[in-house]
Amino acid sequence: MAKTDIIQEWNSLPVNISNIYDEFKKSILNNRFFQNKQYLIDNSRLIRFDNDKWFLRPEYFSQSIYGDHNYYLVVLLVNNITSRFNFRRESFKDGIIYAPSKESIDRVLNQNI
């Protein structure tokens, strides 16, 4: 992929998705998702991990749940998963993943909580 293709792809991202990436460019203590982690947990669905679909693939989980692979960073943070290599059933208590609602993610981004 050429540099211009990557830039065009980045510029075509919806605002909320680019805002998610912008938050993860910040230090962890300044990251809004980290600061509001409990709120996100409280506003999550509990989903049983499917090893066949999602083993080591948080983007696939994000695509399955949100219809967009770009939410995976929030999912990793909320579930205390430090790397895609830890995205496996054993890393989650009882194999259950917290999946924050899109609405709660948007509220955190907009500081509307």
Side-chain angles (χ1 to χ4, degrees):
M1 186 178 276
K3 183 178 179 180
T4 55
D5 293 339
I6 294 170
I7 292 170
Q8 287 175 332
E9 180 70 21
W10 177 259
N11 290 335
S12 69
L13 288 174
V15 172
N16 64 329
I17 298 301
S18 62
N19 288 342
I20 289 172
Y21 283 108
D22 288 342
E23 280 305 305
F24 284 93
K25 290 177 188 175
K26 298 177 182 178
S27 70
I28 193 71
L29 295 176
N30 292 322
N31 181 306
R32 291 179 190 172
F33 297 113
F34 181 76
Q35 294 169 348
N36 296 286
K37 186 174 172 182
Q38 189 59 52
Y39 171 79
L40 292 167
I41 291 170
D42 292 344
N43 290 282
S44 291
R45 292 186 334 185
L46 302 179
I47 305 204
R48 183 161 303 281
F49 192 89
D50 186 335
N51 238 14
D52 295 333
K53 290 183 187 177
W54 305 323
F55 181 75
L56 303 181
R57 292 199 165 78
E59 304 90 352
Y60 288 16
F61 174 82
S62 179
Q63 184 67 42
S64 297
I65 302 306
Y66 301 107
D68 189 317
H69 69 277
N70 293 296
Y71 288 87
Y72 78 96
L73 292 169
V74 178
V75 172
L76 292 177
L77 176 72
V78 166
N79 288 281
N80 296 321
I81 304 298
T82 57
S83 164
R84 70 169 38 295
F85 301 110
N86 293 326
F87 199 75
R88 54 184 73 217
R89 182 176 308 185
E90 309 84 62
S91 299
F92 301 96
K93 185 178 180 195
D94 300 323
I96 302 295
I97 303 172
Y98 288 103
S101 69
K102 276 187 175 182
E103 293 79 17
S104 65
I105 292 169
D106 288 341
R107 290 183 109 185
V108 167
L109 279 173
N110 297 318
Q111 293 292 306
N112 191 16
I113 57 170

